[in-house]
Amino acid sequence: MDRIRAWVLGSLLFLAVISTPVFSFQSPGTLSLQRRRNIHRYEAQEDDDVWDQLDDDERQLRRNVATAKELIRMKQAEDALLYFDKAVQIKENAFLWQRGVLLYLLGKFDEAHDQLSRNIRHYENVFEQPATEERIWMLASEKRGDLLVVPDQQPFSISLEEEELKESRVVLKKAELFLAGEIGEDEVMETIERTKSDYWACYGQYYLGVGMEARNQMDKAQKYIRSALEVSPLKEDDAGLHMMQLHGHIRGW
C-alpha cells in the first residue's frame, strides 16, 4: 500500500508541475498567464483614485512600462525594449531610463545616448538633482559608440548649472568621473571602501564594470560586475538588481 500511495502522490506532483504556467515568451504581443498576473498585480498596487483619474493613454503607458520591467526581470531584453518602444509612442518624453540602458546593452549606442540625454534634461529640470546614473550610461554610450557629441549634449552642460546640482552620493559621482576619464579606478575603489557599505560596494563596482566595458576592458568589466552581484544587498524585486542581472546575462558573465 505504501508503494501505491507513493506512486499516486508522485504522479499527482508530476501533473501539477507540467500543468503550471511557465514564463515563456511566445511572441512580442503575447504574455504568459503568470506574467499577466504580475502586470495586474502592478495595477492593483496603484491607488484606485489615481488610476481612475488617468486617461486611457496613460493607463496603457503604465501597463507597457510594467510589462517591460517584468520582461527585464525575466532577462528578455529585446522583448522588454518592444514594450518600452510602445510607451514612447504614447508619450515621447516619458522618463524611461531603463529604455536607455536596454538600448546600450543591445549595442544601439546612438539611440541610447538620445534617450538618456532626454532623461537627464527632464530629471534635472524637474527635480533639480543630478541625474548621475543616467550621465554614467550616456558617457558609456558615447565611448562604446564613438559618438561625436555636440556641445549641448555634453554631460556637464545639460539643464541647470553644475554648481546647483551637487551629487551627495559620492560613489556615483566618482563613477561618473571615472567614465569621464578624470580619475582612475583606484580612487573609485578607495571611495567605495570608505563607505563600508554593501549597497555602495554593489553599485560602485557595477558602474566600474560599466566603465571598463566602455573602455573595452572586458576582463575587468566582468570582474567588477560579477563582484557587484556577489556583494549585492538588493532585494529580489529591486529594478537595479534586475538590470545588473540582465547585463551579466547578455554578456554571458
Side-chain angles (χ1 to χ4, degrees):
M1 289 296 293
D2 289 340
R3 288 184 178 180
I4 294 173
R5 187 180 295 110
W7 181 84
V8 171
L9 287 173
S11 299
L12 290 173
L13 283 171
F14 174 75
L15 290 172
V17 169
I18 64 173
S19 62
T20 300
V22 294
F23 289 98
S24 58
F25 195 80
Q26 304 297 330
S27 70
T30 305
L31 284 175
S32 70
L33 174 61
Q34 184 59 50
R35 282 206 180 114
R36 290 187 184 277
R37 286 173 178 165
N38 288 343
I39 304 309
H40 294 159
R41 189 179 305 121
Y42 161 81
E43 292 180 10
Q45 291 171 353
E46 291 274 348
D47 184 274
D48 289 339
D49 292 336
V50 173
W51 188 260
D52 290 342
Q53 292 174 15
L54 300 176
D55 60 27
D56 290 343
D57 282 349
E58 183 65 25
R59 290 182 184 180
Q60 189 57 51
L61 183 147
R62 295 191 183 201
R63 289 191 187 102
N64 287 333
V65 171
T67 303
K69 289 179 179 179
E70 176 66 13
L71 290 165
I72 288 173
R73 188 182 72 82
M74 298 305 299
K75 302 181 179 66
Q76 300 286 345
E78 293 182 354
D79 297 327
L81 183 58
L82 288 174
Y83 278 91
F84 277 130
D85 288 347
K86 290 181 179 181
V88 170
Q89 290 171 9
I90 295 171
K91 187 176 182 181
E92 186 177 358
N93 65 342
F95 182 70
L96 298 174
W97 66 269
Q98 297 100 328
R99 181 174 183 268
V101 176
L102 281 175
L103 287 164
Y104 168 86
L105 294 178
L106 294 171
K108 301 179 180 183
F109 303 120
D110 53 346
E111 294 178 63
H113 188 278
D114 179 64
Q115 176 70 57
L116 292 160
S117 63
R118 283 188 281 118
N119 286 165
I120 292 169
R121 289 188 180 92
H122 174 78
Y123 185 90
E124 295 186 350
N125 282 323
V126 171
F127 298 105
E128 298 187 359
Q129 294 179 355
T132 306
E133 290 180 88
E134 288 81 359
R135 290 170 180 263
I136 288 171
W137 286 109
M138 190 175 73
L139 284 166
S141 298
E142 290 176 13
K143 292 182 181 298
R144 289 295 303 279
D146 292 325
L147 302 180
L148 180 62
V149 183
V150 296
D152 68 347
Q153 290 179 311
Q154 292 290 348
F156 295 103
S157 63
I158 290 177
S159 66
L160 303 179
E161 294 296 326
E162 184 182 359
E163 57 266 23
E164 296 178 11
L165 293 174
K166 298 297 184 183
E167 175 59 85
S168 59
R169 300 166 297 175
V170 180
V171 170
L172 292 183
K173 185 61 182 179
K174 293 290 186 179
E176 180 188 1
L177 293 173
F178 175 72
L179 263 292
E182 297 185 26
I183 64 173
E185 65 180 291
D186 289 344
E187 186 170 342
V188 181
M189 287 302 299
E190 289 170 5
T191 303
I192 292 171
E193 290 168 4
R194 283 198 298 271
T195 68
K196 301 184 185 300
S197 162
D198 286 344
Y199 180 88
W200 289 119
C202 172
Y203 271 102
Q205 290 186 88
Y206 178 61
Y207 284 126
L208 261 179
V210 172
M212 291 300 178
E213 183 179 69
R215 299 179 181 192
N216 205 33
Q217 298 182 30
M218 295 306 179
D219 288 343
K220 284 191 172 183
Q222 179 177 349
K223 180 189 79 171
Y224 280 122
I225 291 175
R226 278 186 171 178
S227 180
L229 288 168
E230 287 172 2
V231 303
S232 170
L234 304 177
K235 295 180 179 179
E236 285 300 316
D237 60 351
D238 189 284
L241 176 63
H242 297 163
M243 194 63 78
M244 293 180 197
Q245 292 171 334
L246 176 63
H247 193 157
H249 174 75
I250 290 174
R251 302 295 187 248
W253 297 340

